Amino acid sequence: MPELPEVETVRTVLLPYVVGQKITDTTISLPKVLANISSQDFITKTKQRTITHFTRRGKFLTLHLDNAAFIVIHFRMTGTLTIEDKGTALDKHTHVILTFANQQQLRFIDSRGFGHWWYFEAGQSDTSGQLLLGPEPEQITFAYLKEKLTKRQTALKTLLLDQHIIAGIGNIYADEICFRTQIRPTRRGDSLSDTELQRLLDTIPTVIQEFIQIHRVPFDVYHQTKGTSYQKDTHRAVYGRKGQPCQKCGHPLQGTRIGQRSSVFCEHCQK
DNA sequence: CCCTGCCTGCTG
DNA sequence: CAGCAGGCAGGG
């Protein structure tokens, strides 16, 4: 569910409440969330550790601890993080709780339970998958896009969703990027012209940065909506607007499926 | 490459 | 009530 802009929102909003906090107690109520460690080991190893940094790579978040161990978090479809005072009612599907010395808690809530947490000791190799990610959207170059996209017969949308090519793009922003560049999401990578590649190069970081700004909210708004204020996003041009008029030409937006994912585009504007 | 499974909750 | 959901790993 959350893509790069939403994950970045979680990070920036919660950063001041997380960095510098010492973990005094850890609770795990859904052990399968922990991908590479038992609940008991995780509880033991996190106790008395202080969080020194909170970083993002693609859709992954990392809590860095003061002994150089680190915790990697991925939200998948429905995961989110909240900060709550200890003792306040738990939301349904609260699976992990880190209690801090200041009596606040970092809580992981995930209704579908697809999200994962990994724990790695200092120097241990990170097997979460984030080492295999492609560059962040703002790091891509024309040469890189040409190399990665134009050798492939696969649909552009599927390539945009491939985290090994570019990190952080999901189903919404893949559609938004295709609309903004006026390219059909079904177009094969090897059919893309240099002009279209240049449009993708310009548009991909722009769209991602735009939505990071759009989703940035004060802590109290984030808190009230459990970190899901972005769900009522009215700034999207195509995603979730099947059948509605295209903002450019008024033609009803077309819905289809590409690589098992729902997709929306304008058959008039996108070539 | 395509397909399934993982889950719960919301919408039509 | 079926169908679908913003993600990804694993298997064929």
Side-chain angles (χ1 to χ4, degrees):
Chain A
M1 165 202 239
E3 305 180 27
L4 191 161
E6 293 75 39
V7 176
E8 179 62 10
T9 298
V10 171
R11 191 188 74 85
T12 53
V13 172
L14 299 191
L15 192 63
Y17 298 85
V18 167
V19 170
Q21 297 303 324
K22 182 195 268 191
I23 302 165
T24 55
D25 192 37
T26 298
T27 305
I28 306 293
S29 42
L30 186 67
K32 71 158 197 163
V33 164
L34 299 176
N36 68 339
I37 188 170
S38 69
S39 299
Q40 196 43 246
D41 284 354
F42 184 76
I43 290 165
T44 305
K45 288 176 182 298
T46 50
K47 201 172 179 76
Q48 298 304 113
R49 297 271 59 91
T50 295
I51 297 168
T52 56
H53 308 279
F54 188 24
T55 59
R56 181 195 56 75
R57 176 81 171 91
K59 302 173 195 170
F60 291 84
L61 290 172
T62 302
L63 296 169
H64 302 263
L65 307 181
D66 57 353
N67 61 350
F70 54 102
I71 296 164
V72 178
I73 301 170
H74 197 295
F75 293 158
R76 293 286 182 98
M77 297 283 269
T78 49
T80 191
L81 293 172
T82 62
I83 296 286
E84 301 289 345
D85 292 330
K86 182 179 177 179
T88 57
L90 292 184
D91 284 278
K92 204 173 173 183
H93 308 299
T94 300
H95 304 316
V96 181
I97 304 173
L98 303 183
T99 303
F100 299 141
N102 70 353
Q103 301 301 97
Q104 290 197 317
Q105 296 180 324
L106 178 67
R107 298 180 182 174
F108 177 65
I109 304 164
D110 184 357
S111 62
R112 294 172 77 175
F114 293 172
H116 285 306
W117 287 45
W118 293 260
Y119 174 87
F120 299 103
E121 298 285 4
Q124 195 182 347
S125 85
D126 182 344
T127 55
S128 66
Q130 66 173 333
L131 296 183
L132 304 175
L133 291 173
E136 294 285 309
E138 56 272 35
Q139 303 300 124
I140 56 175
T141 63
F142 182 86
Y144 181 81
L145 279 189
K146 184 154 186 159
E147 159 76 19
K148 292 295 178 181
L149 301 185
T150 64
K151 291 182 177 169
R152 304 284 300 272
Q153 304 184 358
T154 309
L156 172 61
K157 167 142 184 191
T158 305
L159 297 172
L160 290 174
L161 289 174
D162 185 341
Q163 303 299 299
H164 308 284
I165 299 179
I166 304 169
I169 300 171
N171 205 33
I172 294 173
Y173 301 116
D175 276 7
E176 296 298 319
I177 288 162
C178 289
F179 178 76
R180 199 77 72 92
T181 53
Q182 305 286 278
I183 305 170
R184 286 198 193 195
T186 47
R187 281 276 300 285
R188 283 168 43 149
D190 60 6
S191 77
L192 297 167
S193 69
D194 281 1
T195 311
E196 289 169 330
L197 290 170
Q198 185 62 45
R199 288 213 297 273
L200 285 164
L201 178 67
D202 296 337
T203 303
I204 290 167
T206 305
V207 165
I208 295 298
Q209 283 306 316
E210 241 179 64
F211 280 90
I212 288 174
Q213 296 307 323
I214 288 167
H215 293 329
R216 182 157 293 156
V217 288
F219 177 79
D220 59 337
V221 174
Y222 181 96
H223 184 253
Q224 279 165 16
T225 58
K226 318 280 182 203
T228 58
S229 52
Y230 59 83
Q231 285 179 348
K232 41 180 174 170
D233 188 340
T234 56
H235 298 265
R236 301 192 291 241
V238 282
Y239 188 88
R241 292 182 179 275
K242 176 180 167 183
Q244 295 180 28
C246 168
Q247 294 176 354
K248 268 197 164 60
C249 74
H251 197 93
L253 295 172
Q254 179 93 21
T256 184
R257 280 189 94 74
I258 303 168
Q260 321 308 123
R261 313 300 300 279
S262 73
S263 300
V264 184
F265 67 100
C266 175
E267 57 186 352
H268 179 255
C269 293
Q270 294 174 252
K271 309 293 183 192

